[in-house]
Amino acid sequence: MRQKKIIIQTRIVRIIIFIIAVFYITGCKNKSVYISDDTKYKRDFFAMDTYMEFTAYGKNAEEGLEKAIKTVGEIEKTFSVTDKNSEVYAVNNRTENTIQVSQRLMDMLEYTLKISKNTEGAFDISIYPVLRAWGFTTSNYYIPSQEEITELLKKTGYNKIQIENSENKVTLQEGMEIDFGGIAKGYSGDEAIQVLKECGVNSAILSLGGNIQALGSKPDGSAWNIAVKNPDNTDSYMGILQIRNKAVVTSGGYERFFKGDNGEIYWHILNPATGQPAKQGLISVTIIGDSGRECDALSTALFVKGLDGAAEYWKKYGGFEAIFVTEEREIYITEGISKTFVPEGEYKEKKIKVIEKS
């Protein structure tokens, strides 16, 4: 009788172990049983016309990465301007001025219009017709005449975009088109991080073609070391930035440009007010903050505004930190990262100028 009792108890123990194992395997669906470790999982893939690399740590990381990558793909299907099956493509090729959109697209429209207003139009998703005229969307580069640009600018202007939140409707004037290329990668980083969190992952670093998004810290608890590109030589870096739970986005004229027959350099960051490449004295802008989409949008907008306008914006709104490199190769940083940014290489001997709020 005692032997039978021992056998029954042994079977019960085995059943309990089996149940625990099942819950562990499905850890992405049940965060409470997540057990952290330093197991590394990495995925490389191509999306949004750029190379991406996602790295995460822990027993839930593998499944979390697969779901995060799937999420990026879904976002691309919404915001691509070239995919004929995307929602933005449908908006740009509408047969009527008013069209109903998904909640995801409506949320982004609402957000981008707010950023456009705050930056006084320095960030504007309606600049796409002008960007395309320059050939930056196709690499068939062309210098449009002032007359051409003037005509195209009539089809732009964030303040001409009307949205009806209650019905998820957007109204664009005839000939207007929108492009979320200046914010989609940042938004994708935010959504990918959220998916990883829901799967119980608490340590990850995501590279989205120049955008960096960090979840937590390294598995050992130390900060992530992020290299900030040297705008004069992208194979090297100008400094190291230490972050935890932050997004880091850099915009610069060196990312996409062409040289005209006149020897002048034309880059893809356009000033929405003039339709010309933005040249306000900056060659690189790096934004560090909690929100990937905000960092993405502001890295472009503050490049357009120039150093004085960018510093003014930071003092007014805050909520992020920044690194600015001027045409004279001077480095300005906001006071919040004065102890976490270390210049390297040719910038090591340069004096860092700190922008203070007061």
Side-chain angles (χ1 to χ4, degrees):
M1 186 70 179
R2 178 176 175 79
Q3 185 178 5
K4 186 176 181 181
K5 185 176 181 181
I6 292 173
I7 291 172
I8 291 172
Q9 289 176 337
T10 302
R11 286 177 179 172
I12 291 172
V13 169
R14 286 176 179 172
I15 290 170
I16 292 172
I17 292 173
F18 173 76
I19 292 171
I20 292 173
V22 169
F23 272 110
Y24 167 74
I25 291 170
T26 59
C28 191
K29 298 173 184 176
N30 191 331
K31 295 183 288 184
S32 63
V33 297
Y34 170 71
I35 303 173
S36 176
D37 66 10
D38 59 358
T39 305
K40 179 180 178 180
Y41 297 90
K42 186 172 79 169
R43 294 288 183 274
D44 304 333
F45 62 103
F46 193 82
M48 298 185 175
D49 200 32
T50 192
Y51 171 78
M52 298 189 181
E53 182 179 285
F54 285 10
T55 304
Y57 298 82
K59 293 183 174 67
N60 294 346
E62 188 170 23
E63 185 178 358
L65 285 178
E66 295 302 324
K67 291 190 173 186
I69 292 170
K70 183 180 178 182
T71 297
V72 172
E74 292 169 352
I75 292 171
E76 183 174 19
K77 288 178 182 177
T78 298
F79 296 109
S80 172
V81 291
T82 56
D83 183 352
K84 293 183 179 180
N85 297 312
S86 82
E87 191 172 5
V88 167
Y89 188 91
V91 171
N92 288 343
N93 292 273
R94 64 199 177 281
T95 55
E96 297 179 357
N97 288 345
T98 300
I99 185 171
Q100 191 164 34
V101 299
S102 67
Q103 188 61 52
R104 169 174 276 164
L105 185 49
M106 178 54 64
D107 289 343
M108 278 288 274
L109 279 166
E110 190 173 13
Y111 183 80
T112 54
L113 291 179
K114 177 184 176 183
I115 290 286
S116 295
K117 182 179 179 181
N118 289 350
T119 61
E120 300 172 304
F123 182 81
D124 191 338
I125 60 172
S126 73
I127 196 66
Y128 181 63
V130 185
L131 190 70
R132 186 174 54 206
W134 281 91
F136 288 114
T137 61
T138 60
S139 296
N140 295 320
Y141 301 122
Y142 168 75
I143 304 174
S145 67
Q146 185 55 56
E147 290 75 16
E148 289 175 285
I149 291 175
T150 300
E151 282 302 308
L152 287 170
L153 286 176
K154 293 177 182 178
K155 301 176 183 178
T156 69
Y158 75 92
N159 52 354
K160 298 176 185 176
I161 301 173
Q162 299 176 21
I163 58 175
E164 296 177 50
N165 304 72
S166 58
E167 298 183 20
N168 279 14
K169 288 183 178 179
V170 57
T171 300
L172 301 172
Q173 294 182 11
E174 188 174 349
M176 286 188 70
E177 297 176 89
I178 56 175
D179 175 24
F180 292 89
I183 195 171
K185 285 191 294 182
Y187 172 70
S188 295
D190 289 337
E191 294 298 291
I193 289 291
Q194 184 57 38
V195 168
L196 290 170
K197 285 181 178 179
E198 290 171 358
C199 284
V201 178
N202 58 11
S203 179
I205 189 80
L206 312 182
S207 173
L208 304 95
N211 292 30
I212 300 295
Q213 199 110 358
L215 171 58
S217 56
K218 292 180 182 179
D220 63 6
S222 61
W224 300 100
N225 293 314
I226 306 301
V228 181
K229 282 185 179 180
N230 179 345
D232 294 310
N233 179 9
T234 56
D235 291 330
S236 63
Y237 52 93
M238 56 169 280
I240 298 294
L241 187 66
Q242 292 189 327
I243 63 167
R244 290 182 174 86
N245 273 323
K246 296 290 182 184
V248 180
V249 181
T250 300
S251 287
Y254 59 83
E255 293 174 310
R256 201 182 313 157
F257 65 90
F258 69 94
K259 183 181 287 189
D261 294 336
N262 56 5
E264 189 172 347
I265 298 295
Y266 299 91
W267 52 54
H268 75 291
I269 304 176
L270 302 183
N271 183 338
T274 65
Q276 299 280 354
K279 294 192 176 180
Q280 298 295 325
L282 294 174
I283 60 170
S284 175
V285 173
T286 298
I287 305 296
I288 306 99
D290 298 327
S291 164
R293 66 178 181 175
E294 179 182 37
C295 292
D296 211 357
L298 290 182
S299 68
T300 299
L302 300 191
F303 188 99
V304 171
K305 290 179 80 67
L307 181 63
D308 291 341
E312 218 174 276
Y313 183 93
W314 175 75
K315 290 177 182 179
K316 181 177 181 179
Y317 293 100
F320 65 94
E321 304 298 336
I323 303 169
F324 306 106
V325 183
T326 70
E327 291 176 342
E328 292 75 27
R329 275 49 180 183
E330 294 178 313
I331 301 178
Y332 290 80
I333 65 173
T334 51
E335 60 184 354
I337 54 169
S338 59
K339 295 181 180 179
T340 56
F341 174 72
V342 180
E344 294 287 344
E346 61 189 84
Y347 285 87
K348 197 168 187 178
E349 303 304 319
K350 291 183 180 291
K351 183 179 179 182
I352 305 296
K353 300 180 180 181
V354 180
I355 302 172
E356 299 177 342
K357 285 200 171 180
S358 55

